[in-house]
Short mmCIF file of all heavy atoms in Angstrom, two decimals:
data_model
loop_
_atom_site.label_atom_id
_atom_site.label_comp_id
_atom_site.label_asym_id
_atom_site.label_seq_id
_atom_site.Cartn_x
_atom_site.Cartn_y
_atom_site.Cartn_z
N GLU A 28 60.68 -47.63 -23.80
CA GLU A 28 61.64 -48.63 -24.26
C GLU A 28 61.00 -49.78 -25.02
O GLU A 28 61.70 -50.56 -25.64
CB GLU A 28 62.43 -49.17 -23.06
CG GLU A 28 63.27 -48.08 -22.43
CD GLU A 28 64.48 -48.64 -21.71
OE1 GLU A 28 64.47 -49.85 -21.41
OE2 GLU A 28 65.41 -47.85 -21.45
N SER A 29 59.67 -49.90 -24.93
CA SER A 29 59.05 -51.04 -25.61
C SER A 29 57.69 -50.66 -26.17
O SER A 29 57.06 -49.72 -25.67
CB SER A 29 58.90 -52.22 -24.65
OG SER A 29 57.77 -51.99 -23.85
N PRO A 30 57.24 -51.36 -27.20
CA PRO A 30 55.93 -51.05 -27.77
C PRO A 30 54.79 -51.28 -26.79
O PRO A 30 53.78 -50.60 -26.86
CB PRO A 30 55.82 -52.01 -28.97
CG PRO A 30 56.96 -52.94 -28.90
CD PRO A 30 57.97 -52.39 -27.96
N SER A 31 54.95 -52.23 -25.85
CA SER A 31 53.85 -52.47 -24.92
C SER A 31 53.71 -51.30 -23.95
O SER A 31 52.59 -50.90 -23.59
CB SER A 31 54.04 -53.78 -24.18
OG SER A 31 55.33 -53.83 -23.62
N LEU A 32 54.85 -50.72 -23.52
CA LEU A 32 54.79 -49.54 -22.65
C LEU A 32 54.15 -48.39 -23.42
O LEU A 32 53.34 -47.64 -22.89
CB LEU A 32 56.21 -49.14 -22.21
CG LEU A 32 56.87 -50.06 -21.18
CD1 LEU A 32 58.32 -49.65 -20.95
CD2 LEU A 32 56.09 -49.99 -19.86
N LEU A 33 54.52 -48.28 -24.71
CA LEU A 33 53.98 -47.22 -25.56
C LEU A 33 52.46 -47.36 -25.66
O LEU A 33 51.71 -46.39 -25.52
CB LEU A 33 54.61 -47.30 -26.95
CG LEU A 33 54.12 -46.26 -27.95
CD1 LEU A 33 54.72 -44.90 -27.65
CD2 LEU A 33 54.46 -46.67 -29.38
N ALA A 34 52.02 -48.61 -25.89
CA ALA A 34 50.58 -48.85 -26.08
C ALA A 34 49.82 -48.49 -24.80
O ALA A 34 48.78 -47.82 -24.85
CB ALA A 34 50.34 -50.31 -26.45
N ALA A 35 50.36 -48.91 -23.65
CA ALA A 35 49.69 -48.64 -22.37
C ALA A 35 49.62 -47.14 -22.13
O ALA A 35 48.58 -46.61 -21.72
CB ALA A 35 50.44 -49.33 -21.23
N ALA A 36 50.73 -46.44 -22.43
CA ALA A 36 50.77 -45.00 -22.22
C ALA A 36 49.81 -44.30 -23.17
O ALA A 36 49.11 -43.35 -22.77
CB ALA A 36 52.20 -44.49 -22.43
N ALA A 37 49.76 -44.78 -24.42
CA ALA A 37 48.89 -44.14 -25.42
C ALA A 37 47.43 -44.19 -24.96
O ALA A 37 46.69 -43.22 -25.11
CB ALA A 37 49.04 -44.84 -26.77
N MET A 38 47.04 -45.32 -24.37
CA MET A 38 45.66 -45.43 -23.90
C MET A 38 45.37 -44.42 -22.81
O MET A 38 44.28 -43.86 -22.75
CB MET A 38 45.39 -46.85 -23.41
CG MET A 38 45.17 -47.82 -24.57
SD MET A 38 44.59 -49.43 -24.02
CE MET A 38 46.14 -50.28 -23.79
N ARG A 39 46.38 -44.15 -21.95
CA ARG A 39 46.14 -43.20 -20.86
C ARG A 39 46.07 -41.77 -21.40
O ARG A 39 45.29 -40.96 -20.91
CB ARG A 39 47.22 -43.34 -19.79
CG ARG A 39 47.06 -44.64 -19.01
CD ARG A 39 47.93 -44.69 -17.79
NE ARG A 39 47.77 -43.52 -16.94
CZ ARG A 39 48.66 -43.17 -16.00
NH1 ARG A 39 49.75 -43.89 -15.82
NH2 ARG A 39 48.45 -42.10 -15.27
N VAL A 40 46.90 -41.48 -22.42
CA VAL A 40 46.85 -40.14 -23.02
C VAL A 40 45.49 -39.93 -23.67
O VAL A 40 44.86 -38.90 -23.54
CB VAL A 40 47.99 -39.95 -24.06
CG1 VAL A 40 47.88 -38.58 -24.71
CG2 VAL A 40 49.35 -40.14 -23.40
N ARG A 41 45.04 -40.97 -24.37
CA ARG A 41 43.73 -40.92 -25.01
C ARG A 41 42.63 -40.65 -23.97
O ARG A 41 41.79 -39.76 -24.14
CB ARG A 41 43.46 -42.26 -25.71
CG ARG A 41 42.05 -42.42 -26.28
CD ARG A 41 41.75 -43.86 -26.63
NE ARG A 41 41.65 -44.70 -25.42
CZ ARG A 41 41.65 -46.03 -25.43
NH1 ARG A 41 41.76 -46.69 -26.57
NH2 ARG A 41 41.56 -46.72 -24.30
N ASP A 42 42.69 -41.41 -22.86
CA ASP A 42 41.64 -41.29 -21.86
C ASP A 42 41.71 -39.96 -21.13
O ASP A 42 40.72 -39.51 -20.55
CB ASP A 42 41.74 -42.45 -20.86
CG ASP A 42 41.45 -43.78 -21.55
OD1 ASP A 42 40.85 -43.74 -22.64
OD2 ASP A 42 41.84 -44.84 -21.00
N ALA A 43 42.90 -39.32 -21.15
CA ALA A 43 43.03 -38.01 -20.51
C ALA A 43 42.43 -36.92 -21.38
O ALA A 43 42.36 -35.76 -20.98
CB ALA A 43 44.49 -37.71 -20.21
N GLY A 44 42.01 -37.27 -22.59
CA GLY A 44 41.26 -36.33 -23.43
C GLY A 44 42.11 -35.45 -24.33
O GLY A 44 41.62 -34.45 -24.84
#
Side-chain angles (χ1 to χ4, degrees):
Chain A
E28 295 206 342
S29 80
S31 51
L32 287 173
L33 179 75
M38 283 189 269
R39 289 191 52 198
V40 178
R41 172 194 69 193
D42 295 341

